[in-house]
Amino acid sequence: MNSTVMWITARGLFGRRRFLLLLPLPVLVIALAVLCRWLGVAPGNWAQPVLIALGLAVVLPVVALIVGTGVLGSEIDDGTIVHVLSKPLPRWQIVLPKLVVAFGVTTLTVAVPLYVAGVLAESVRLGLALAAASAAGALAYSALFVALSLVTRRPVLLGLVYVLIWEGLLGNIVSGTQVLSVQQYVVTFADRMAATTLFDGQVSVTVSVIMTAVIAVLFTLLAIDRLRSFSVAGETS
Amino acid sequence: MTTSTSTPSSTPAAAAPVTSAAGTGTAGTAGRPAAIELAGVSRWYGNVVAVNDVSMALNAGVTGLLGPNGAGKTTLLHMMAGFLPPSRGAVTVDGEPTWRNPGVYRKLGLVSEREAVHGFLTAYEFVLASARLHGLPDPAAAARRAIELVEMTPAQDRRIGTYSKGMRQRTRVAAALVHDPTVLLLDEPFNGMDPRQRMHMMTLLHSLGDAGRTILFSSHILEEVEQVSGTVQVMVAGRLAASGDFRSIRRLMTNRPHVFAVQSSDDRALAVALLRHDSVTGVDLPKGGGITVRAGDYGSFTRALPRIALTEGIRVHRLLPSDESLESVFSYLVEA
Amino acid sequence: MSTSDQLTAARGTGPTPAGPAVAGTTSNGAPGGVIHDIGYQRYTGVRLGRRHVVGALYAHSLRTAFGLGRSAKAKIFPWFIVGVVVAAAAGLVAVRAQIGQVLLSYAQFADTMSWLVIFFVAVVAPELVSRDLGSGVLPLYFSRPLRLVDYPLAKFAALATAVFMLLGAPQLVMFLGGAFTTDAGWSGVWDEVTDLAPGLAYAVLWAGVFSAIGLAVASVTGKRAFAAGGIVAVFLMTTPIGGVLSVLPSVTANQLAGLVAPSSLVQGTGIWLFRDALITEAGTGLDTGGFGPLYGLVTVVLIAGCIAALIARYRKAARR
């Protein structure tokens, strides 16, 4: 695992303003959880909107999108990818460290507030379950969005299509699409690990585990392959 | 391995088929592959042909890749650097293909045209990262050496975002040199540099070239190429129009008259005498004195002039070819 | 001597419809330079006024919103959304023709399509606003007879029109379907019209609020990807807050919960204005208590505030 690549990626991520976009969302989750707990709202009432609708359905994918497209996409956009490409590194040694950084930052940003919210909602077990589930989701989402950065020139837009339309709109209306939605896998994981009555997973655990693994591996391989054939045409491209 | 350059067969008022002058196009000695070799390389995007059947072999020394904007220079350089696959033909560096071959970067350094650097790193960190990514045994020492080579040592601990354009350029050159590559590719390296920085960069490139490295840089500014190297590869509309020493190229274009500026003790008499000679196609007497002579045949005119002057008893003070600049060579090629 | 001969020769050639060539002379009397007259003339005709400038900007922005006059890639997203809403409307018409029941009233249709409207605004607002900001062409705009406030207002009008068309077109489809399949003759058609009118007015409300918010967020950055992400984040963040507020123990908080999220804000205002168009079954829909007017007021303030922010942003951007 190439530490220099990880170091440059991490510094690039934290040195940009877009990183600030990440902060309001986790803070919001914690603030709402604290507010509800303080005002004595029954967890059964606020768990769904805060933990699932906001936490797992919005904060996790959006943070993963911003970070996942940032680790590779921003370098492609401003052309600094050339510096890391013109080194005698096998391409997987470039993709994997970036993926690790994306996964790490996303998980940290999402798992911590969800843990706090879960503890406030019910118990430490729920908190840990939510944190672990969001880590699994972060893995799948990061692989997906890093691969998107290499496949298309507008990864953020396509990522938004996936999150908003596929997972958000269709996932609520057409139950068949839930089998292909990372969000549902994450909810299932959390439900299974915490055994809670606050919310229910819609997809079976086996399917979730297999699909998460498949997505993570498949899109990582796709990203590595695309990076091998990455062409830079010059200014007029 | 052949050293033929493609003849601009479709160009109308074509120069006589240009073959490379001695020094640039020779194949590798004793069967060793040339440092950079292109064999029938073409690259197209749909209907647009960016590079059209270019073949060249480059070895140690500094070569200028010359051409107007849109001639395909950047495309060619990116193919040599392994960032673009050729649609046809083969691009090899030291015998190895460049596309999909990260190992080739051990011998290759690239300074691209786009000014993209991580602004949040300092120059030292940037070059050090480059050294580490190359897997050098002592990255810190190599980084310091490279920074010293480009004379960036005093500013190396400031963030790159605070640098001037020339300093950023030099930093990128340092990062490209840190692993001591045998081949260095630079895309428009003098863009936006002031004359002092340009001179410094030219000296640096020359010293690197003299040390045995193969250096190819692209430019569309003729004065730069003139001063850095005498050997050029001229690209026009995707084709290689000429290769070699540009003065030799000039002489090979026999259908264009050479223009000379002559200053003598008796201009008019010399003018009349010259007009009698076959090689002279025209004579002008400009306002400031002297004669402007247009000669069709370089060789016979230069041989004839002293004889004529001697016969007429005229003293020639000065004889200058006035259109042997790269500018005029270039415009002849482009217009053709 | 050849140069001066060339100059005098050139002066004679070329069309000279009006005005002589201008020749300069050097101090010793020989001509130094000549400006040849090749027929270029300054435009002295009628110049259309500010209204036409703004109208042109509006029309151009509206065309950009739907990708007209641009490459095929720019048409994909907007027309995909248009296709989805029209298809949904057609589906509703078919269902209504079959079972004679109205599943969604015109106004309720707009509510159902809220996700798509958010997505449309997230795709189109950056195209309208962030592109100009990021590529630095604002000085070109403002060096024309275009006042500073005209630019953001024209863009807002264009985006609002585009969103209105997005919601209005399927409503029109539903109207045509209802009008042609009604068995009550002209009075049936008139009923449809009276149902359609509040639906269209509701669509105007949606258009105003969402365009204002979308443009205000998009004008913050010059990068389209960030702008799109920002718009989506703003809309997505506010909905769960509203959800949380609606489950708080206080009834007032529940009734005010809709103010926080734009979609529920518009819904609340719609319920206040056209109650029957939105609430077709008792007990459903947003509960706004007596706060209907407050919702209306907040809607107006929000639109005004976003437009003011937009204008302030351009004041700052144009000064740079």
Side-chain angles (χ1 to χ4, degrees):
Chain A
M1 201 51 57
N2 199 308
S3 60
T4 318
V5 176
M6 279 202 275
W7 177 72
I8 295 184
T9 310
R11 280 201 62 171
L13 209 54
F14 295 129
R16 287 166 208 267
R17 262 188 315 172
R18 75 151 84 185
F19 185 64
L20 296 177
L21 276 179
L22 295 182
L23 294 181
L25 292 170
V27 166
L28 188 66
V29 170
I30 299 185
L32 284 181
V34 166
L35 183 72
C36 291
R37 182 63 180 246
W38 180 53
L39 288 179
V41 184
N45 282 336
W46 66 266
Q48 180 67 24
V50 175
L51 296 179
I52 306 298
L54 181 63
L56 292 181
V58 171
V59 177
L60 176 60
V62 170
V63 170
L65 181 67
I66 295 177
V67 173
T69 54
V71 290
L72 200 50
S74 60
E75 286 196 347
I76 294 177
D77 250 351
D78 61 16
T80 49
I81 188 87
V82 172
H83 291 122
V84 84
L85 278 185
S86 59
K87 302 287 183 287
L89 289 172
R91 292 334 188 190
W92 61 266
Q93 270 193 29
I94 300 177
V95 172
L96 283 186
K98 287 187 183 286
L99 208 52
V100 166
V101 171
F103 167 68
V105 173
T106 306
T107 307
L108 207 64
T109 319
V110 178
V112 167
L114 277 183
Y115 171 77
V116 170
V119 164
L120 287 175
E122 195 179 64
S123 61
V124 176
R125 178 165 177 189
L126 179 61
L128 287 175
L130 283 172
S134 49
L139 187 65
Y141 277 127
S142 302
L144 177 63
F145 294 135
V146 168
L148 263 187
S149 316
L150 281 172
V151 163
T152 162
R153 295 197 68 189
R154 311 193 64 179
V156 177
L157 217 50
L158 276 181
L160 281 178
V161 170
Y162 173 71
V163 170
L164 270 188
I165 308 284
W166 184 259
E167 289 193 350
L169 186 64
L170 293 181
N172 287 333
I173 298 182
V174 182
S175 59
T177 58
Q178 287 173 349
V179 185
L180 284 179
S181 164
V182 178
Q183 175 190 327
Q184 296 297 334
Y185 308 150
V186 175
V187 174
T188 306
F189 286 144
D191 184 23
R192 181 76 154 79
M193 282 191 260
T196 177
T197 51
L198 292 176
F199 50 81
D200 274 319
Q202 308 288 334
V203 183
S204 83
V205 181
T206 340
V207 171
S208 302
V209 171
I210 295 179
M211 284 305 291
T212 308
V214 164
I215 289 178
V217 169
L218 199 69
F219 282 98
T220 306
L221 290 177
L222 178 69
I224 295 177
D225 179 66
R226 295 269 84 219
L227 194 62
R228 279 204 196 105
S229 321
F230 189 72
S231 49
V232 182
E235 282 291 312
T236 53
S237 58
Chain B
M1 264 166 282
T2 55
T3 59
S4 62
T5 53
S6 66
T7 41
S9 49
S10 56
T11 49
V18 179
T19 51
S20 48
T24 17
T26 47
T29 50
R32 267 186 66 239
I36 305 178
E37 177 150 4
L38 277 72
V41 169
S42 301
R43 169 81 196 177
W44 56 79
Y45 301 97
N47 279 338
V48 178
V49 181
V51 174
N52 197 339
D53 199 28
V54 169
S55 300
M56 64 169 86
L58 303 174
N59 279 304
V62 182
T63 310
L65 183 64
L66 194 59
N69 282 324
K73 305 190 299 290
T74 304
T75 312
L76 200 67
L77 275 171
H78 279 235
M79 282 198 279
M80 288 182 198
F83 288 143
L84 269 184
S87 307
R88 196 162 59 186
V91 181
T92 55
V93 166
D94 223 12
E96 289 179 36
T98 51
W99 176 242
R100 290 181 79 119
N101 181 13
V104 79
Y105 294 114
R106 287 199 193 93
K107 313 172 196 158
L108 192 60
L110 170 73
V111 180
S112 63
E113 179 190 1
R114 244 183 119 173
E115 244 196 66
V117 213
H118 303 274
F120 49 87
L121 295 175
T122 69
Y124 177 66
E125 286 170 350
F126 180 61
V127 180
L128 181 66
S130 183
R132 283 214 186 102
L133 288 173
H134 274 290
L136 297 180
D138 189 356
R144 278 192 217 284
R145 252 200 330 264
I147 291 183
E148 228 181 272
L149 201 60
V150 297
E151 291 185 6
M152 281 289 295
T153 320
Q156 66 181 323
D157 288 318
R158 274 170 38 206
R159 282 179 51 239
I160 296 183
T162 61
Y163 286 172
S164 72
K165 194 164 180 174
M167 292 166 82
R168 260 179 268 169
Q169 192 84 301
R170 282 187 281 161
T171 310
R172 293 195 294 136
V173 172
L177 285 176
V178 73
H179 60 292
D180 216 22
T182 50
V183 175
L184 188 61
L185 305 171
L186 303 109
D187 199 349
E188 311 226 358
F190 306 113
N191 248 355
M193 280 194 175
D194 67 49
R196 197 179 62 82
Q197 292 169 338
R198 225 167 46 205
M199 217 168 59
H200 172 76
M201 180 70 75
M202 286 182 204
T203 329
L204 174 65
L205 289 182
H206 260 312
S207 58
L208 291 172
D210 292 338
R213 283 176 238 261
T214 307
I215 307 205
L216 177 71
F217 73 95
S218 81
S219 178
H220 61 274
I221 298 175
L222 307 159
E223 292 77 27
E224 297 171 356
V225 187
E226 237 174 341
Q227 290 161 39
V228 178
S229 77
T231 52
V232 294
Q233 308 279 344
V234 184
M235 281 195 74
V236 178
R239 306 188 87 102
L240 197 59
S243 313
D245 181 69
F246 71 81
R247 286 183 203 88
S248 324
I249 294 173
R250 182 72 186 80
R251 269 171 226 143
L252 286 167
M253 295 180 183
T254 51
N255 64 327
R256 297 272 187 166
H258 297 257
V259 182
F260 296 92
V262 185
Q263 280 181 358
S264 66
S265 53
D266 188 347
D267 288 333
R268 279 193 185 269
L270 185 59
V272 170
L274 283 175
L275 273 172
R276 288 196 212 107
H277 196 268
D278 285 346
S279 64
V280 173
T281 56
V283 169
D284 265 332
L285 291 160
K287 263 258 173 308
I291 321 174
T292 310
V293 185
R294 280 187 299 282
D297 187 349
Y298 181 96
S300 52
F301 172 74
T302 44
R303 280 191 295 274
L305 177 65
R307 252 189 301 120
I308 296 173
L310 195 60
T311 319
E312 302 291 319
I314 302 174
R315 199 134 37 130
V316 174
H317 299 304
R318 210 155 132 208
L319 170 66
L320 271 182
S322 39
D323 71 339
E324 220 176 54
S325 73
L326 202 48
E327 171 109 36
S328 48
V329 174
F330 194 51
S331 49
Y332 291 157
L333 285 172
V334 175
E335 281 157 26
Chain C
M1 78 182 144
S2 54
T3 28
S4 55
D5 283 338
Q6 282 166 11
L7 279 173
T8 41
R11 212 189 298 167
T13 59
T16 45
V22 177
T25 52
T26 56
S27 53
N28 62 0
V34 166
I35 297 174
H36 302 288
D37 186 354
I38 46 179
Y40 284 143
Q41 294 167 351
R42 293 197 64 117
Y43 179 70
T44 49
V46 171
R47 284 184 192 265
L48 300 170
R50 182 177 159 196
R51 204 160 48 91
H52 290 270
V53 175
V54 176
L57 185 61
Y58 167 78
H60 172 75
S61 305
L62 191 55
R63 283 172 59 99
T64 306
F66 289 104
L68 302 174
R70 294 182 65 203
S71 71
K73 266 197 216 166
K75 295 188 176 71
I76 297 178
F77 283 118
W79 287 102
F80 167 69
I81 303 173
V82 170
V84 169
V85 291
V86 171
L92 283 173
V93 166
V95 165
R96 184 176 174 184
Q98 287 285 63
I99 63 175
Q101 225 188 21
V102 178
L103 277 183
L104 284 178
S105 78
Y106 297 97
Q108 283 173 333
F109 180 79
D111 282 339
T112 324
M113 295 292 129
S114 64
W115 284 97
L116 290 172
V117 174
I118 294 175
F119 188 58
F120 183 79
V121 170
V123 169
V124 170
E127 290 294 326
L128 289 183
V129 161
S130 303
R131 255 193 332 155
D132 288 343
L133 273 171
S135 54
V137 297
L138 284 183
L140 290 179
Y141 278 106
F142 292 127
S143 58
R144 302 282 183 272
L146 179 79
R147 303 272 172 78
L148 190 83
V149 295
D150 290 343
Y151 180 88
L153 285 180
K155 295 280 180 183
F156 169 69
L159 184 58
T161 313
V163 175
F164 175 68
M165 285 164 70
L166 180 73
L167 286 175
Q171 284 178 340
L172 200 62
V173 167
M174 287 163 68
F175 167 73
L176 289 175
F180 282 127
T181 58
T182 184
D183 2 274
W186 283 111
S187 67
V189 174
W190 180 248
D191 285 340
E192 289 298 323
V193 171
T194 49
D195 282 340
L196 177 66
L200 288 179
Y202 193 51
V204 170
L205 215 58
W206 270 86
V209 172
F210 276 61
S211 316
I213 299 178
L215 279 185
V217 173
S219 69
V220 166
T221 168
K223 293 210 179 119
R224 285 178 286 174
F226 289 178
I231 294 175
V232 166
V234 163
F235 283 114
L236 285 187
M237 268 196 331
T238 48
T239 316
I241 303 181
V244 164
L245 283 180
S246 67
V247 294
L248 285 183
S250 146
V251 176
T252 324
N254 295 347
Q255 290 176 341
L256 286 178
L259 286 177
V260 170
S263 33
S264 48
L265 177 69
V266 178
Q267 239 183 326
T269 312
I271 290 177
W272 172 53
L273 287 176
F274 333 103
R275 188 162 197 94
D276 293 329
L278 275 168
I279 302 198
T280 49
E281 286 172 28
T284 61
L286 206 61
D287 173 25
T288 55
F291 291 110
L294 182 62
Y295 275 71
L297 182 67
V298 172
T299 306
V300 171
V301 166
L302 183 64
I303 296 181
C306 286
I307 296 183
L310 198 63
I311 294 179
R313 169 82 180 112
Y314 277 101
R315 253 189 244 283
K316 189 173 150 223
R319 206 169 288 144
R320 234 185 302 129

